[in-house]
Amino acid sequence: MLCSFVSRQTLGRVSLLPFTGRGRLAAQRKWVATEATNNEVQLVRHTGADQGILTLSLNRPKAKNALSRSLVSDFRKALEEIRNDREARVVILRSTVPGVFCAGADLKERATMSPSEVEQFLYSMKTSFKELESLPQPTIAALDGAALGGGFELSLCCDLRIAGPRAILGLPETSLAIIPGAGGTLRLTRLIGSSQTKALVFTGRRFGPYPALSMGIVNDVVEPVECMDEKNTEEHGLGYERAMEWAREILPNGPIAVRMAKRSIDHASSVDPATGLDVEQLCYAQVIPTEDRLEGLRAFKEKRKPVYKGR
C-alpha cells in the first residue's frame, strides 16, 4: 500500500507549485510543497514565507471522504507525525474533494463488518478525533462543502473553523434514529451551549455558513459576492484560502506561547475557575525561560518585528 501522507523523507520528490490567494491577501504569491497522488490522506509542508504551516487533506473522492478503516489509519499516522514535528506551527484540515468536507463514517464498509470489527473501528475513529483535538499546534478546519454527521464532528475537533460559501453543516443523526456518536453532543455543547445544541440535534437541521457564524460555530465566512469578482473560478477551495490567511496571521507569533495558550484555553472549559487559573499560571511559567520571550522584548525595544524560533 502506498504511503498515505507526504512525510519529511519524501519532500525531495515533491514539486513546487505556486499558491495564489484570492481573499484579503490576494496580491501575495506563495510556494507550496505538494505531491500529486491518489492517497486518501495527504500531508503537505508549506515552504518559503509559509514555512511552519501544514495542510492535512482528505482525498477520497469516490466516497466523499467517508471515514473508512484505511483512511482513519492513515489519518492517525499523519497526526502522529504532526504531533512530533517541532517546526509545525499551524495545521489546516481540508478536503480536496469538491462539494464535500467529510461525509462521516463509511456506512457501506460498516455493513460488511462483524460486531467486533465495528467496535474496533469506532474506537479507532473516536481516538483519531481525540488525537486531532489534542494536537499541540493550532488547527483550522477549512469547510468547503458538506460537513454532516461525523464530518461535522471531525471539524469540531479543530480550534477554528472557516466556512466557504457552499458549506453545509449539521448533525442529522436523529433522522436515522441514532444520535451523534463521535463527540458531537459534547463538543458542540461546549462551543454554543446546550439549548442551541439541542435545537440542532433534535431537529437534525442542516444550515449554511451564516447561521453557523451567528451561532459561533465557525469563525469566518467567505462571502459569495467575493467569489463572483473573478470569472471562471470554482468556489471550492475558497474556505481553504481564507484558512491560509488565518494561518499566516498566527504564524509570526511565538510558537511556544501559542501552544501554551491553546493548552490553557482548552483546560478552561473543563475545569473549575480556580483550577483553570492554576493551569494558566503553569502554562505561563513555560514561556518565561524561552529565548523567544527575550527576542520579543528586544524586538519591541528596537522597534522591529520579532523573529521567533520556537526555543
Side-chain angles (χ1 to χ4, degrees), residues 7-280:
S7 67
R8 227 187 295 262
Q9 290 75 21
T10 64
L11 284 177
R13 297 186 284 106
V14 302
S15 58
L16 290 178
L17 300 174
F19 170 86
T20 305
R22 285 194 293 240
R24 286 168 288 188
L25 301 179
Q28 295 191 9
R29 179 176 293 270
K30 301 294 179 182
W31 291 88
V32 56
T34 187
E35 182 177 82
T37 71
N38 292 320
N39 296 331
E40 293 180 346
V41 177
Q42 300 171 347
L43 178 58
V44 167
R45 288 176 170 82
H46 295 259
T47 61
D50 288 333
Q51 185 172 352
I53 300 175
L54 274 61
T55 295
L56 183 58
S57 300
L58 304 179
N59 180 46
R60 195 183 177 214
K62 292 183 179 180
K64 298 182 179 180
N65 290 336
L67 300 171
S68 64
R69 280 183 286 195
S70 62
L71 188 149
V72 169
S73 175
D74 292 339
F75 187 60
R76 295 185 65 184
K77 292 176 185 176
L79 292 176
E80 181 64 20
E81 182 164 343
I82 293 170
R83 182 180 302 277
N84 295 322
D85 187 347
R86 295 183 61 86
E87 297 180 0
R89 297 192 181 187
V90 190
V91 181
I92 299 175
L93 178 62
R94 67 169 301 201
S95 164
T96 63
V97 182
V100 65
F101 173 71
C102 175
D106 189 335
L107 299 181
K108 291 182 179 180
E109 181 184 69
R110 187 178 297 184
T112 67
M113 297 180 187
S114 67
S116 62
E117 289 174 330
V118 171
E119 185 176 350
Q120 291 173 3
F121 169 74
L122 290 176
Y123 175 80
S124 181
M125 183 179 73
K126 292 178 182 179
T127 300
S128 73
F129 283 23
K130 293 178 184 177
E131 291 168 345
L132 172 62
E133 185 177 42
S134 65
L135 282 177
Q137 303 91 346
T139 54
I140 307 172
L143 304 173
D144 284 304
L148 300 170
F152 182 39
E153 291 177 292
L154 177 63
S155 75
L156 292 174
C157 298
C158 291
D159 299 308
L160 306 175
R161 281 155 295 282
I162 311 300
R166 296 190 180 278
I168 299 294
L169 314 178
L171 294 172
E173 284 86 349
T174 54
S175 66
L176 299 173
I178 57 175
I179 70 170
T185 58
L186 173 67
R187 294 186 177 100
L188 189 59
T189 298
R190 287 182 175 177
L191 188 63
I192 64 173
S194 61
S195 181
Q196 287 274 39
T197 299
K198 287 175 180 177
L200 295 178
V201 173
F202 292 172
T203 62
R205 185 178 302 157
R206 304 182 183 200
F207 50 93
Y210 288 101
L213 183 64
S214 67
M215 287 185 282
I217 294 174
V218 301
N219 302 87
D220 198 359
V221 168
V222 181
E223 299 179 9
V225 66
E226 296 178 23
C227 311
M228 297 170 64
D229 290 340
E230 297 184 11
K231 298 180 180 180
N232 301 320
T233 299
E234 292 186 3
E235 291 184 353
H236 180 76
L238 294 180
Y240 171 63
E241 293 181 7
R242 180 64 58 81
M244 282 291 296
E245 295 176 17
W246 277 77
R248 290 177 184 131
E249 287 190 54
I250 297 170
L251 191 61
N253 298 327
I256 298 175
V258 172
R259 290 186 181 205
M260 289 300 103
K262 173 175 176 173
R263 182 178 298 179
S264 181
I265 294 168
D266 284 347
H267 279 84
S269 63
S270 60
V271 298
D272 62 87
T275 303
L277 291 173
D278 288 341
V279 171
E280 181 184 72

